[in-house]
Every structure is written in C-alpha cells, then in structure tokens.
C-alpha cells in the first residue's frame, strides 16, 4: 500500500510538471525556429550566434521573460542592447551570468542578437498588479523627473535609453535601487543623478507605474526605417 501511494504521488508530480513545462517547451520550439530563420537570412554577412538555449532560459521566448527577475529584451532599442552587452563584456556592468556570456560574443554576434530582440514585439510585465494609489505616485515621479526626455514620449526607449513601458516591475525596482546605491552606473551620469533623488517609497511606485504601462508597438516601430534598421 505504501509503495502504491509513493507511485501515485510520483505520477501526480510528473503530471503537474508536464502541465507546467509543455507551454514553455512549445514557446522554446517557436523561438528556436525563429532563430534558425534568422540564421539563414544572415548567412551572407556571417554566422548567427546559436545561443537560443542560453537566452531563452532567462529572457524567455522572443525576449519576453516570464520571470520578473530578468529584463524583457523584446522591443528594446538595438543600440541600447549592444551597449549593455559590451558593458557586461568589459566589466562596466558586473553580473556573474552575463559577464562570461558577453565576453564570448564577437562584435557581429552582439549586433545580430541586438537586432533580433529589437524587432520582437513586447508584451506587458508578468508581475504588475493594479494599485491606483501606487501608480498615481509613480506617474507623478516619472513626470517630475522628465523621464520621457531620454526614454521617449511613450517610454518605449530610444537610442541608448531602454524601453521602460511594460518592463518587469521587480527588475525596474532592483535597477533603480542599484543606481541609487551606486552598485550600477550610467555612462552619461543621468540615471545616477535621478535615482539619487528617489526615496525608498518612490522606487516601488515608479516600478509599478512603468510595469503597468502597455508598450505601444507603433512607437517601437517608429524607431525603425523601412529596411528594418534601428535609427
């Protein structure tokens, strides 16, 4: 009887795990297919970096992570993604995972990865719950700091400034805290100065407001010319 109970419990766990993993496996298959197509299209200019497994594990299919610990890459400006990969590679950004990965990338691979994720359609944050009072405070802080000046009118990013609209709430809060503490630095110094003015109450409010914003695909598409190249 005890053995039967153990077998039943094992089967139940296996079934639950399968139910959880199958959607992700399907998404991974689609992601891998997209990368394979990109590889074929890029053969003339050099080999496509085969990092589907590595990128997918943290950043999700098409660069839209389901884990709020990791940033969404979909729809980010290509120039910003390139700059961050190079910052990880040269140690300007310290990260135990991204540092070694970025150091193994060639310039062509960095450009290809950045271009791929810049073309992907972004989605909203996976973790942001509605809280009208918190969002109102966050909106007021964002407007007072003129975040649109660098991150674009709809906060969908431009040039070397990332897309904030729809980014994961936990990730935004963590990065703002890192800028505020000096753990992370902005090459221009802008984010260091702005984050230093944020209170401990402002940071979660800003993170909630930005995460709750729906990224506008039209604004992201406006960053690209007809050939699909980032401006």
């Amino acid at each position: 009887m005890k053995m039967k109970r153990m077998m039943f419990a094992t089967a139940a766990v296996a079934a639950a795990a399968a139910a959880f993993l199958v959607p992700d496996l399907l998404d991974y298959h689609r992601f891998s297919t997209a990368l394979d197509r990109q590889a074929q299209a890029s053969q003339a200019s050099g080999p496509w970096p085969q990092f589907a497994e590595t990128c997918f594990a943290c950043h999700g299919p098409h660069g839209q992570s389901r884990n709020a610990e990791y940033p969404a890459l979909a729809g980010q400006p290509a120039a910003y993604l390139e700059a961050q990969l190079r910052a990880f590679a040269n140690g300007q950004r310290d990260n135990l995972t991204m540092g070694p990965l970025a150091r193994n990338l060639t310039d062509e691979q960095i450009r290809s990865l950045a271009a791929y994720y810049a073309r992907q359609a972004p989605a909203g944050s996976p973790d942001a719950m509605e809280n009208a009072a918190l969002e109102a405070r966050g909106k007021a802080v964002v407007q007072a700091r003129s975040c649109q000046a660098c991150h674009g009118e709809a906060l969908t990013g431009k040039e070397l400034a990332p897309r904030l609209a729809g980014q994961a709430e936990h990730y935004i809060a963590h990065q703002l805290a890192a800028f505020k503490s000096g753990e992370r630095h902005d090459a221009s110094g802008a984010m260091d100065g702005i984050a230093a003015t944020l209170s401990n109450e402002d940071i979660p409010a800003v993170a909630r407001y930005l995460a709750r914003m729906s990224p506008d695909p039209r604004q992201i598409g406006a960053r690209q010319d007809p050939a699909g190249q980032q401006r």
Side-chain angles (χ1 to χ4, degrees):
M1 182 65 68
K2 183 177 180 180
M3 180 62 71
K4 288 183 178 180
R5 285 199 300 268
M6 292 178 62
M7 292 175 63
F8 178 78
T10 301
V13 170
F20 178 78
L21 290 174
V22 165
D24 280 347
L25 290 174
L26 290 174
D27 282 337
Y28 171 70
H29 173 70
R30 297 188 186 100
F31 181 54
S32 297
T33 300
L35 290 184
D36 289 341
R37 290 172 180 166
Q38 175 66 25
Q40 296 172 4
S42 302
Q43 283 178 353
S45 59
W48 168 256
Q50 298 298 317
F51 295 112
E53 295 86 354
T54 303
C55 299
F56 177 89
C58 294
H59 298 289
H62 307 288
Q64 190 60 52
S65 177
R66 294 178 178 175
N67 186 333
E69 296 282 339
Y70 305 108
L73 305 181
Q76 295 286 4
Y80 172 77
L81 293 174
E82 285 189 41
Q84 298 312 301
L85 284 171
R86 293 195 169 92
F88 283 124
N90 62 29
Q92 289 179 341
R93 285 192 69 177
D94 184 23
N95 185 283
L96 292 176
T97 301
M98 286 303 305
L101 290 173
R103 283 191 289 274
N104 285 323
L105 296 174
T106 65
D107 284 344
E108 177 59 29
Q109 288 171 334
I110 286 176
R111 286 191 293 270
S112 295
L113 282 170
Y116 172 80
Y117 284 117
R119 288 194 299 270
Q120 305 310 303
S125 170
D127 65 339
M129 303 295 291
E130 184 177 2
N131 184 318
L134 198 62
E135 291 172 47
R137 176 171 183 155
K139 181 178 181 180
V141 173
V142 166
Q143 291 179 340
R145 302 306 190 280
S146 300
C147 297
Q148 290 86 349
C150 292
H151 295 276
E153 181 180 354
L155 299 174
T156 52
K158 63 178 183 179
E159 300 168 353
L160 295 177
R163 169 176 68 83
L164 302 179
Q167 183 61 274
E169 178 181 357
H170 179 86
Y171 180 77
I172 294 174
H174 180 74
Q175 296 307 306
L176 287 174
F179 279 121
K180 181 178 174 66
S181 69
E183 177 186 347
R184 181 178 174 185
H185 295 283
D186 176 18
S188 70
M191 279 307 304
D192 302 61
I194 290 175
T197 70
L198 299 179
S199 69
N200 291 336
E201 291 74 27
D202 288 336
I203 288 177
V206 169
R208 179 66 59 91
Y209 169 66
L210 294 174
R212 291 278 299 169
M213 292 184 70
S214 296
D216 188 344
R218 295 171 299 177
Q219 294 289 335
I220 292 171
R223 294 201 310 257
Q224 298 181 335
D225 63 26
Q229 299 297 316
Q230 293 283 320
R231 290 177 179 171

